[in-house]
Amino acid sequence: MDALIAKADAAQPLSNKRKRTHHSNPKPGPSRKPDKTSVSIIKNTSLPHSLRSRTNETVDAPQYKHIANPKLRRSLVKTSTHIAQSQALLSDAVDLLPSEESGFAQAEDPLERTWRLSQADIVKQAGGEAARGRQEMKLDGGPYRVRYTKNGRHMAIVGRTGHVASFDTLTGAVHSELQLGETCNDVVFLQDHSFYAVAQQKYAFIYDRDGVEIHKLKAHISPMRLEFLPFHWLLASVGSAGYLKYQDTSTGQLVAEHRTALGACSVLTQNPHNAVLYLGHQNGCVTLWTPNLPHPAVKVLAHLGPLSSVSVDPSENGRYMATAGKDGSVKVWDCRNWKGAVREWTLRSSGKGGAEVEWSQKGLLAIGSGGSINMYTSPSIKTPHHPSSQPPLYLTHPLPSASHRPITSLRFAPLQDILTIGHARGTSSILVPGAGEGGMDTGEGLDLYEGVKGRREREVRGLLDKIQPDMITLDPELVGSLAPPSKLTTNTSGGSGSSRAAEIPFARLPRAERLRVSGKADLTEEGVSDADLSDASDSTKPQVVNKEEKEKKKMRGKGKSLKRYLRKQRKNVIDPAAVAIRAKIEKQKAERKAEIRKVKYGDEPQEKSSALDRFRRTSKE
Amino acid sequence: MVKVSVLQHDLSAHTATRPGDPTPVSRNLNPLMHPFSRARERTRALNAAKMDRMFSKPFVGALEGHIDAVEVLAKQGDSLSTVASGSWDGGVIVHNLSQRTHIARLPQAHKGKVTGLCFAGDSRLLSCGVDRNVKLWKIASDEPLNVFPGKYAFNSIDHQRSSSLFATASTLVQIWDETKSAPISNLTFPTSTETISSVRFNLSESSILASVGSDRTFTLYDIRTGKAERRVVMQMRANALSWSPTFPTNILLASEDHNLYAFDIRRLDAPSLIYKGHVAAVMSCDWSPTGTEFVSGGWDRTVRIWQTGQGHSPEVYHTKRMQRVTSTLFTNDARFVLSGSDDGNVRIWKGKASERLGIVTARERAAIEYRSSLVDRWKMDREVGKVVRTRHLPKPVYAANKLKNTMLESRRVKEERRRKHTRAGESKPKSERKKVILAEQS
């Protein structure tokens, strides 16, 4: 019995034992004889960076020394080390992986301007395969709208008179061509090029690649615009009745139906990073919608007059939005705070249809208005600039003739430097250097040369990973983040909540609270920042200061005696002395504020004189 | 001159050069190219958790042969497939697990029920019964090699792994030698008048012996000193015990009060962990040979598999026809669990409910591992966690669990109220672990 206990006490934990043997026996014994094969190749080879053991490398992961529970500490350290290691590996991979460069247009001479480049120049300089991106299609079906698939390989066009076609842009092979014979407003590809939906006069219809009608979506009545959310498998439409409808294309269910109550709507776009739909209305409002909210998540009055186009920047997590109104102005908005537009300017020739706006993958903004398309690069359009002047132009492209007007659609081709313009005489594709993302990703389906098997595989995987529609939120990082703290108060220390806390028995308190009550809580984590900030003498003092002491301290400092005097006065008695003191305090406050402002902004006149000043009451009267 | 470069993709880098070649895979690590990666991973985790539940078909098969309830099960130390079972009808059957056949049948091994079984070295079996005999069998033959007559009905038997000694439990613990017909020593605690229900040798220090008895006691003996070393009186009696195969000082008791208690024998004043989950008395327990999990069978007709160190939410196995589980066993490969129950069947279950039997290809294994790590990563998510945690229970077990919770809650509330109305500091709340032990004697 005692022998067993003695042995058990003497026995070391397994991990320690292993470590010790490893250290004490560094030289290879007879059993560790090096392998001949590996010796022969070791001179000429090296392990890939990603496969090398990182145990001896120091990763600066937190060690969690303040946590007493060894099991918890170990798992935390393990997790943080793993994260640090994988981040290091990721940074390695970014360096090592070949990344295809993106295109650009740079002026070598300070007097040169990139916007002077014509398409002919660009085509001449691009040469080869890239030059084939410049194409003109002359079609008679009225103003056209255009749509690309996710990988930018296939394109669908729809003419107002009912001409629908889908084709492969690389080979030029036409998949299907339909003459529907009724007004068609929009076209959108579903998960890939094998299905597309068309917004027709009465309903939306789904066609397969060969142009066979698959579904008639009777719920979508007289749709104007369509949008497909690829990760949620939702087809959304908005129409002349002003209803936004979501239909799940994998199950066929109508997921949500929102009444916008803002009349007919013909502007719809999606934010690809959080799957929120942006609607532009006749009254100048832009509204943001999710399936799980019956009212808009955000509603902004963007323009004075109807909206003509809205687009969301995919290059910065959907942070910026561009809107164009029929009032002839374009505004760029920051979607994190809606305090007015970041930048706005007026278009020279907006035409009667209003302008079209579209962001490219790399954050290029194209604006098509009147008879020309102007393109702007990123930093200048997103920096606040007060006078409403045009940002510096990057490229411009005029349509060949006035008969091409109006421009009804602008689409950048993903993964390519191509912008396709839909207009009254067909479509034209122009080259825009620096518009497309260079690196392809096979797993995400962002592959221009994706094969049939890859496409099928991706379709199945996409269905398995389908995100439920009610998980669409403004903040896409909400999933998997920490839950908000519980509203149930369990504060057991004194104060107003103590009576309630007393009702909760000790055994039913949360663990952290129980530890705190029993004095075993780990306060080091909170203490660290305090200790760093305050002096050593301060940190030794008890942190808790009772109310009286606080009050006493508050009395000190300059100019507080007036306030103390006021506090002692009775509030409901109007005493001329007290009134005077109150006025004096107000005056001092204003002076202090002015001083601070002066330090901050320099001395310039704070308020501009306005026409309404004449009605202002002077303070002396 | 304005320098212009237009994006151009190399076709040969993205397509297979010859037919039959694998398509080149390209990766773009820019997070903007992977929207909703977290939400998609969560969906994948949820699917993985659901698939795990869908694939969980733990029942492998039943070994028939007994006419009456199965009372004991015993495994052979160095064999993966040989298992013996003893029944209330006095019969003993030696099963081959992999072929599900009978290696040996001893229909009348004892008169009355067989209460104890254990293997004694190579192909020999020791059995004891209420007929006051211990019999030593050669597995192939029908006649016992030796019969050891005792004075009292025996309740349990255990053989030392590396010698010819074995211990029996009746009103006292007796140590026998295979070569001698009378017990070589009697071990009792001086003041005890109890019936010992189970006895087990320590696996590492083979002279140490532990027993549990009807006096609500748990006793430790040493053969060399020939006396009881420690004794602990608990709130309720324990039905079975099992020594940990990896930590020699750890022992597990299956108690009548629905709980399992893990003890470190260096500190007998409180159990090191309480395993709560059964809704009736726990009748048996057995460690997996890895020591990371153990199995228990209960009066509530369920078999439960516990992870060491996790005192709650065990895996629950049940079937319609399985009655009170009297004996359980973990097989020596740690993959299967056996249960013997009142309905006379020995059942084989998988140790991991959703494990796939048979050959698993490398791709499949990778997928399984990926799924399990996904579930592990997302188990804090409300929906994923719910799928992972929830187990379907038979209605009576579910109702009993609810009733038990209600009773415990009301007891707790009463205690709390009583404490609130006594003078402050007069009665302190006692921790659950401290409540278990009534007295420690030595």
Side-chain angles (χ1 to χ4, degrees):
Chain A
M1 180 77 197
D2 295 329
L4 172 64
I5 291 174
K7 271 183 196 168
D9 283 335
Q12 295 242 336
L14 209 58
S15 56
N16 286 359
K17 217 182 250 178
R18 264 186 204 149
K19 209 183 279 170
R20 204 179 49 202
T21 53
H22 181 73
H23 283 297
S24 62
N25 191 14
K27 44 185 169 181
S31 61
R32 285 244 204 116
K33 205 171 181 180
D35 184 21
K36 271 185 185 170
T37 323
S38 66
V39 165
S40 69
I41 61 169
I42 212 156
K43 276 177 284 180
N44 306 320
T45 55
S46 67
L47 263 181
H49 227 264
S50 57
L51 294 182
R52 273 179 220 164
S53 131
R54 285 179 169 273
T55 46
N56 47 359
E57 288 178 34
T58 50
V59 282
D60 44 350
Q63 292 301 310
Y64 297 101
K65 279 188 180 143
H66 60 278
I67 288 174
N69 183 356
K71 218 169 170 183
L72 176 64
R73 187 175 58 225
R74 225 174 297 135
S75 80
L76 283 174
V77 168
K78 200 174 154 193
T79 315
S80 59
T81 314
H82 181 250
I83 289 169
Q85 280 180 357
S86 42
Q87 271 169 354
L89 280 179
L90 188 69
S91 63
D92 280 350
V94 168
D95 297 339
L96 291 173
L97 279 181
S99 63
E100 282 175 82
E101 294 149 9
S102 53
F104 57 87
Q106 275 175 349
E108 287 176 332
D109 194 323
L111 293 177
E112 290 283 349
R113 293 286 177 268
T114 51
W115 57 265
R116 292 216 179 95
L117 280 173
S118 70
Q119 279 300 307
D121 298 334
I122 296 175
V123 166
K124 211 192 323 174
Q125 287 200 44
E129 197 67 26
R132 289 177 57 188
R134 172 86 182 99
Q135 275 171 351
E136 289 281 346
M137 272 200 286
K138 281 182 188 156
L139 301 162
D140 306 330
Y144 275 87
R145 281 186 67 81
V146 188
R147 195 73 80 134
Y148 277 100
T149 50
K150 195 180 169 191
N151 59 5
R153 170 134 188 190
H154 304 274
M155 193 165 88
I157 56 170
V158 60
R160 186 142 182 87
T161 55
H163 175 222
V164 179
S166 77
F167 49 89
D168 188 335
T169 53
L170 283 192
T171 62
V174 176
H175 300 311
S176 62
E177 190 163 13
L178 304 171
Q179 292 288 351
L180 294 172
E182 58 177 356
T183 310
C184 291
N185 292 313
D186 203 2
V187 66
V188 69
F189 278 113
L190 301 191
Q191 71 274 18
D192 49 39
H193 73 278
S194 48
F195 295 101
Y196 58 88
V198 181
Q200 286 172 226
Q201 192 169 25
K202 279 183 95 173
Y203 307 115
F205 290 78
I206 293 179
Y207 299 89
D208 77 349
R209 189 190 56 184
D210 304 323
V212 179
E213 182 186 318
I214 304 286
H215 294 292
K216 174 179 175 182
L217 306 177
K218 278 192 162 179
H220 303 257
I221 301 158
S222 57
M224 293 295 287
R225 289 287 178 264
L226 296 174
E227 202 63 55
F228 183 71
L229 307 174
F231 297 107
H232 303 79
W233 293 68
L234 291 176
L235 178 70
S237 80
V238 68
S240 45
Y243 276 80
L244 176 64
K245 297 184 182 186
Y246 289 87
Q247 187 144 28
D248 193 325
T249 55
S250 62
T251 61
Q253 265 184 328
L254 196 69
V255 170
E257 195 173 352
H258 298 322
R259 180 171 166 262
T260 60
L262 290 170
C265 178
S266 63
V267 179
L268 170 68
T269 191
Q270 66 165 304
N271 185 338
H273 291 282
N274 55 11
V276 172
L277 290 184
Y278 291 57
L279 290 183
H281 298 282
Q282 302 277 357
N283 64 350
C285 277
V286 172
T287 49
L288 273 60
W289 295 85
T290 60
N292 50 3
L293 279 183
H295 51 83
V298 177
K299 189 174 179 184
V300 194
L301 181 63
H303 287 270
L304 302 171
L307 266 285
S308 66
S309 178
V310 174
S311 179
V312 181
D313 178 16
S315 72
E316 277 190 57
N317 261 328
R319 184 177 158 189
Y320 291 98
M321 172 182 83
T323 59
K326 290 193 177 160
D327 57 354
S329 66
V330 171
K331 295 184 184 180
V332 177
W333 303 79
D334 189 340
C335 298
R336 299 193 300 189
N337 58 350
W338 298 96
K339 286 183 192 164
V342 177
R343 179 144 197 175
E344 58 175 296
W345 65 95
T346 321
L347 296 168
R348 285 203 193 109
S349 57
S350 60
K352 64 174 182 188
E356 281 286 319
V357 288
E358 174 78 359
W359 294 90
S360 86
Q361 275 181 319
K362 283 278 186 186
L364 230 80
L365 180 65
I367 299 172
S369 62
S372 66
I373 296 101
N374 293 339
M375 278 149 280
Y376 306 91
T377 43
S378 227
S380 61
I381 41 177
K382 290 169 187 170
T383 43
H385 194 258
H386 283 299
S388 65
S389 63
Q390 287 225 355
L393 198 57
Y394 174 62
L395 281 178
T396 181
H397 174 73
L399 287 181
S401 72
S403 63
H404 283 68
R405 295 183 187 188
I407 295 167
T408 46
S409 159
L410 290 178
R411 296 282 174 203
F412 280 100
L415 304 171
Q416 295 168 81
D417 283 346
I418 295 173
L419 170 68
T420 300
I421 306 148
H423 47 70
R425 301 292 290 273
T427 68
S428 43
S429 301
I430 60 171
L431 297 183
V432 184
E437 169 75 33
M440 299 203 204
D441 193 305
T442 319
E444 291 282 358
L446 293 166
D447 190 350
L448 210 50
Y449 307 107
E450 188 177 43
V452 181
K453 274 188 179 168
R455 186 175 59 75
R456 286 182 187 152
E457 174 91 11
R458 188 165 60 80
E459 188 171 349
V460 173
R461 288 203 179 280
L463 272 173
L464 286 174
D465 295 352
K466 187 181 93 170
I467 308 168
Q468 288 307 307
D470 54 352
M471 284 175 70
I472 298 178
T473 51
L474 277 181
D475 177 19
E477 295 299 296
L478 187 75
V479 179
S481 55
L482 286 177
S486 165
K487 281 174 186 160
L488 182 78
T489 60
T490 50
N491 187 16
T492 45
S493 61
S496 59
S498 62
S499 62
R500 169 162 170 62
E503 287 167 17
I504 303 169
F506 179 77
R508 283 289 171 272
L509 285 175
R511 190 181 137 76
E513 205 63 34
R514 254 184 299 159
L515 285 174
R516 213 174 55 72
V517 169
S518 56
K520 287 178 185 168
D522 168 45
L523 299 167
T524 47
E525 209 167 12
E526 301 162 34
V528 169
S529 58
D530 293 342
D532 289 344
L533 291 173
S534 58
D535 299 345
S537 58
D538 283 7
S539 61
T540 52
K541 278 180 192 171
Q543 296 283 323
V544 189
V545 184
N546 61 7
K547 206 177 170 187
E548 287 168 34
E549 204 176 346
K550 221 173 176 180
E551 193 78 341
K552 205 173 154 194
K553 275 187 179 167
K554 212 175 170 185
M555 289 304 147
R556 279 189 222 137
K558 55 182 179 178
K560 293 287 165 66
S561 55
L562 293 177
K563 276 187 187 170
R564 186 166 49 185
Y565 171 77
L566 276 183
R567 203 175 294 125
K568 287 185 178 163
Q569 296 300 315
R570 279 167 65 186
K571 293 272 155 58
N572 54 356
V573 177
I574 299 175
D575 177 24
V579 169
I581 285 172
R582 243 172 233 141
K584 193 179 172 188
I585 286 176
E586 284 298 312
K587 201 179 156 194
Q588 279 178 347
K589 218 180 193 173
E591 273 173 6
R592 227 176 296 136
K593 228 177 209 174
E595 209 161 24
I596 289 168
R597 193 179 295 161
K598 207 172 167 186
V599 169
K600 230 178 188 175
Y601 303 109
D603 31 354
E604 56 180 76
Q606 263 81 47
E607 286 151 28
K608 286 176 191 166
S609 58
S610 89
L612 299 175
D613 276 350
R614 72 187 64 177
F615 302 112
R616 185 176 285 173
R617 187 175 292 163
T618 51
S619 53
K620 279 177 189 174
E621 285 173 14
Chain B
M1 189 63 201
V2 177
K3 215 162 80 179
V4 172
S5 157
V6 179
L7 195 61
Q8 216 165 355
H9 294 289
D10 183 12
L11 177 65
S12 61
H14 295 285
T15 47
T17 45
R18 287 170 302 180
D21 277 4
T23 315
V25 172
S26 41
R27 287 266 171 271
N28 188 343
L29 294 173
N30 183 359
L32 290 177
M33 295 292 111
H34 307 274
F36 302 106
S37 51
R38 246 199 210 167
R40 280 188 284 163
E41 191 180 79
R42 182 188 164 273
T43 312
R44 236 173 289 154
L46 188 59
N47 287 343
K50 285 178 182 171
M51 275 163 87
D52 188 62
R53 292 283 76 216
M54 266 158 49
F55 289 141
S56 78
K57 303 254 186 288
F59 183 68
V60 178
L63 305 172
E64 294 168 7
H66 286 297
I67 301 163
D68 209 340
V70 177
E71 173 69 11
V72 281
L73 288 172
K75 58 185 172 186
Q76 197 173 7
D78 49 1
S79 158
L80 288 180
S81 59
T82 312
V83 162
S85 62
S87 161
W88 277 65
D89 58 16
V92 170
I93 298 178
V94 183
H95 303 273
N96 185 333
L97 283 186
S98 50
Q99 293 166 348
R100 294 188 212 165
T101 52
H102 295 168
I103 297 172
R105 287 183 64 108
L106 308 166
Q108 287 302 319
H110 288 275
K111 281 207 184 81
K113 82 170 169 178
V114 179
T115 50
L117 264 182
C118 68
F119 281 91
D122 220 20
S123 69
R124 284 188 310 165
L125 191 66
L126 270 170
S127 68
C128 67
V130 289
D131 62 352
R132 302 174 184 180
N133 281 330
V134 175
K135 291 182 182 176
L136 179 67
W137 307 84
K138 182 95 183 154
I139 283 178
S141 69
D142 282 347
E143 287 303 310
L145 289 177
N146 209 346
V147 178
F148 307 91
K151 277 185 186 154
Y152 314 103
F154 291 111
N155 292 325
S156 176
I157 190 166
D158 194 30
H159 196 281
Q160 255 188 2
R161 278 294 282 279
S162 53
S163 75
S164 59
L165 294 184
F166 63 90
T168 58
S170 50
T171 54
L172 70 169
V173 175
Q174 290 174 314
I175 306 295
W176 305 69
D177 196 313
E178 281 176 27
T179 54
K180 299 189 175 79
S181 57
I184 54 174
S185 66
N186 294 341
L187 306 172
T188 61
F189 198 79
T191 57
S192 91
T193 53
E194 59 176 346
T195 309
I196 310 288
S197 56
S198 184
V199 64
R200 288 282 175 273
F201 278 108
N202 189 313
L203 301 179
S204 154
E205 193 70 33
S206 55
S207 63
I208 307 277
L209 196 62
S211 77
V212 289
S214 61
D215 242 3
R216 303 175 294 160
T217 58
F218 157 51
T219 320
L220 288 165
Y221 309 89
D222 197 329
I223 296 180
R224 291 173 298 190
T225 57
K227 60 179 189 192
E229 294 276 339
R230 305 273 163 81
R231 193 161 89 140
V232 164
V233 184
M234 295 186 292
Q235 282 281 1
M236 292 274 243
R237 61 173 282 201
N239 289 318
L241 77 164
S242 176
W243 287 96
S244 162
T246 48
F247 292 98
T249 55
N250 287 9
I251 194 167
L252 192 70
L253 304 184
S255 174
E256 192 76 16
D257 62 358
H258 312 184
N259 296 338
L260 288 123
Y261 297 104
F263 275 97
D264 190 326
I265 59 165
R266 288 174 281 181
R267 288 180 54 86
L268 285 174
D269 54 338
S272 56
L273 195 62
I274 306 177
Y275 293 89
K276 291 182 175 180
H278 276 286
V279 292
V282 191
M283 301 309 291
S284 63
C285 60
D286 189 44
W287 286 90
S288 143
T290 58
T292 55
E293 51 195 347
F294 61 87
V295 61
S296 69
W299 200 247
D300 55 2
R301 303 190 188 98
T302 61
V303 175
R304 298 191 190 227
I305 297 177
W306 307 78
Q307 302 302 314
T308 310
Q310 189 193 341
H312 55 88
S313 46
E315 183 70 67
V316 188
Y317 295 162
H318 54 84
T319 64
K320 246 180 195 170
R321 297 196 176 96
M322 186 162 73
Q323 296 302 315
R324 323 283 184 198
V325 182
T326 49
S327 52
T328 47
L329 216 57
F330 233 110
T331 57
N332 279 333
D333 54 0
R335 286 182 70 199
F336 296 99
V337 160
L338 301 178
S339 69
S341 47
D342 259 2
D343 57 312
N345 278 323
V346 176
R347 289 190 169 78
I348 312 174
W349 309 85
K350 292 178 203 166
K352 288 196 173 37
S354 57
E355 191 192 13
R356 215 196 112 174
L357 302 181
I359 297 167
V360 179
T361 61
R363 269 182 76 183
E364 216 171 340
R365 183 173 302 283
I368 290 168
E369 279 168 9
Y370 176 59
R371 283 205 300 267
S372 70
S373 67
L374 267 184
V375 170
D376 189 51
R377 186 170 179 185
W378 282 91
K379 64 176 183 265
M380 294 307 167
D381 187 86
R382 186 179 294 168
E383 269 181 73
V384 177
K386 200 173 164 190
V387 174
V388 169
R389 276 193 312 271
T390 309
R391 294 286 178 275
H392 172 255
L393 287 175
K395 212 171 182 183
V397 177
Y398 184 78
N401 194 23
K402 235 164 91 176
L403 180 66
K404 187 183 161 188
N405 281 344
T406 314
M407 286 165 67
L408 288 178
E409 178 68 14
S410 65
R411 207 174 290 169
R412 189 194 59 73
V413 168
K414 187 174 181 182
E415 183 78 7
E416 197 75 39
R417 288 202 184 121
R418 181 170 289 162
R419 191 170 305 125
K420 221 190 250 172
H421 290 89
T422 49
R423 195 176 298 150
E426 204 148 79
S427 65
K428 271 187 178 170
K430 208 172 180 184
S431 86
E432 202 78 341
R433 291 197 296 155
K434 291 277 190 316
K435 279 182 202 164
V436 177
I437 301 295
L438 286 183
E440 197 184 341
Q441 304 165 340
S442 62

